[in-house]
Amino acid sequence: MTDLQTRAAPPGPAAALRRAAPALLGYAAVRALGLLALALWSAARDKDAYTLLTARWDALWYARVAGGGYGYEIRLPNGDVHSDLAFFPLLPWLERLLHAAAPLSYGGAGFLVSLLASLAAAWGIFAVADRVYGRRAGVCAVLVWAALPVGIVQSMAYSESLFTALAAWSLYAVLTGRWVTAGALASLSGLTRPIGLAVVAAVWAAGAVSLLRDRGARPADPSGRIGGPAPGPGASVGARAPRTAVVLGMLLAPLGAAGYVLWVGRRTGRGPLGYLHVQAGWRNGFDGGYAFARFVAAKFTSFPSALAGLGLIAGVGLLLWLYVVCVRQRQPLPLLVYGGVVLALALCASSYFGSKPRLLLPAFPLLLPPAVALSRLRTSRSAAVLGCLAVGSAVYGAWWLNGSGPP
């Protein structure tokens, strides 16, 4: 890995867009293939693809918040209460804004937000991977992210694309020493999804290392950069900033999540633990993976389901192995912290198990090792691999949304 401190200053927006153009065009092509497959599959089953993307599952909850604010809940026969307070507000706010400015339904506005945010996320993923591993790896990282089996969620009126865009650009801001920007984006990510905590943790970890490293170090040069490599992933944050900027970024980072959680606590009358109570009504919580382990173990009660159990174990093993590879490749500390927290929250939460692949969608640092491997192949070979992944993702996404879909 090329040390970030030896890289030139980040290019301007126009140059950065030109550099990212192959990745963005490739991303658009992969997602267009997925949408085309969904349209054809849905038509064959007399279903409307646009409805599947904008008016089912969580998209309905976001649209309801956008249209009428918070306060809606469903009481199930078993006593569980599904409250819309479980859904963070940034996506509904944007849906309401677009609905007021254009002739779009709330769900349609969410679909447009996701399309634009997914492109921003792809650009952010490219920017991070390009800075750490180079342009070719950046293009491969974006295409692998686009071609994930559950990649169709990136085009739905869900919050995953918006969150990934904010997370990726916050991490890039950390890597380039733009601490206030990093903190502001982390705060917005905390208004988007509960795993905004992963972005906050990344900013805090990198900020703490930066402040500790700054003690006794020589003053930064006028460009804000320091010469010479420093060992360890924590030293991969490649630009020095004034301590006040680092501290301000760290203070800004948790404000979004903390503000919403405290507001929910006040609204429910349960104080700081109010949001946890809301999540409990959805049977969501953090149990260290106990419920997930029981779910996997239950698969081995019969032969057909045992195959699914083996597949789940293999999938978890693959994710853990990828994270170990990330550590061995000495990814920058912010990426390791962010990817590790997203992985831990997804695997150790007691939420509905079918949603775990979707919850892992923002964990793009885990895709950097395969992206680096693909970037080292001949162009024809890497194109063939990525093409197969794109076709498989398109077919699976079309089948999935016309079936059980993302919970």
Side-chain angles (χ1 to χ4, degrees):
M1 181 183 77
T2 303
D3 193 279
L4 297 177
Q5 291 179 325
T6 65
R7 290 188 179 274
L17 180 58
R18 287 194 298 271
R19 186 172 179 83
L24 297 180
L25 291 172
Y27 176 81
V30 174
R31 295 301 344 126
L33 177 63
L35 292 175
L36 175 61
L38 175 65
L40 295 175
W41 195 298
S42 301
R45 295 174 58 87
D46 293 325
K47 292 185 177 181
D48 181 50
Y50 185 70
T51 299
L52 296 177
L53 293 168
T54 64
R56 290 189 69 186
W57 305 293
D58 287 3
L60 291 174
W61 286 90
Y62 284 118
R64 187 178 285 114
V65 172
Y70 287 101
Y72 180 80
E73 64 182 28
I74 297 175
R75 293 186 176 272
L76 304 183
N78 65 356
D80 290 346
V81 178
H82 289 184
S83 168
D84 58 9
L85 292 171
F87 297 88
F88 278 51
L90 185 56
L91 178 58
W93 287 346
L94 294 175
E95 289 179 346
R96 182 180 298 181
L97 180 64
L98 281 178
H99 173 76
L104 291 170
S105 66
Y106 292 114
F111 176 64
L112 180 58
V113 169
S114 287
L115 288 183
L116 297 176
S118 67
L119 286 170
W123 192 358
I125 292 170
F126 170 82
V128 169
D130 177 31
R131 185 162 183 84
V132 181
Y133 296 111
R135 186 184 192 188
R136 189 177 174 89
V139 173
C140 291
V142 169
L143 295 180
V144 171
W145 187 68
L148 288 174
V150 294
I152 190 65
V153 175
Q154 298 163 18
S155 302
M156 297 182 66
Y158 272 44
S159 60
E160 273 75 12
S161 290
L162 179 60
F163 174 80
T164 305
L166 294 168
W169 283 109
S170 178
L171 293 173
Y172 179 75
V174 171
L175 296 177
T176 54
R178 297 179 171 100
W179 290 97
V180 176
T181 300
L185 292 173
S187 184
L188 289 174
S189 75
L191 286 171
T192 309
R193 294 191 62 80
I195 57 170
L197 294 175
V199 190
V200 176
V203 173
W204 278 3
V209 169
S210 178
L211 292 174
L212 291 173
R213 192 180 62 188
D214 194 50
R215 289 185 176 181
R218 70 179 187 274
D221 63 31
S223 67
R225 304 189 64 78
I226 55 178
S236 295
V237 179
R240 178 165 299 159
R243 292 172 63 89
T244 53
V246 178
V247 172
L248 181 57
M250 295 174 69
L251 291 175
L252 284 173
L255 293 184
Y260 181 69
V261 168
L262 291 175
W263 179 81
V264 171
R266 181 178 179 181
R267 185 181 177 99
T268 59
R270 294 180 175 268
L273 300 180
Y275 185 75
L276 296 180
H277 176 75
V278 170
Q279 286 283 19
W282 287 81
R283 298 289 177 115
N284 290 337
F286 188 88
D287 62 1
Y290 175 71
F292 186 41
R294 289 186 59 190
F295 174 77
V296 174
K299 295 293 183 182
F300 290 92
T301 56
S302 63
F303 173 72
S305 63
L307 297 178
L310 291 174
L312 288 171
I313 292 175
V316 172
L318 174 62
L319 292 170
L320 297 177
W321 175 77
L322 283 174
Y323 188 73
V324 170
V325 174
C326 291
V327 175
R328 289 179 175 175
Q329 288 184 348
R330 298 177 66 79
Q331 279 188 10
L333 178 64
L335 302 186
L336 291 177
V337 172
Y338 169 77
V341 174
V342 172
L343 181 61
L345 290 177
L347 294 183
C348 297
S350 59
S351 57
Y352 180 63
F353 306 108
S355 66
K356 292 190 182 295
R358 174 173 64 85
L359 298 179
L360 286 164
L361 194 61
F364 68 89
L366 299 180
L367 304 178
L368 296 184
V372 170
L374 285 169
S375 70
R376 293 171 179 168
L377 298 177
R378 293 179 182 177
T379 301
S380 58
R381 292 183 178 179
S382 60
V385 172
L386 290 167
C388 291
L389 290 176
V391 171
S393 173
V395 173
Y396 179 81
W399 170 80
W400 190 41
L401 255 64
N402 277 278
S404 61

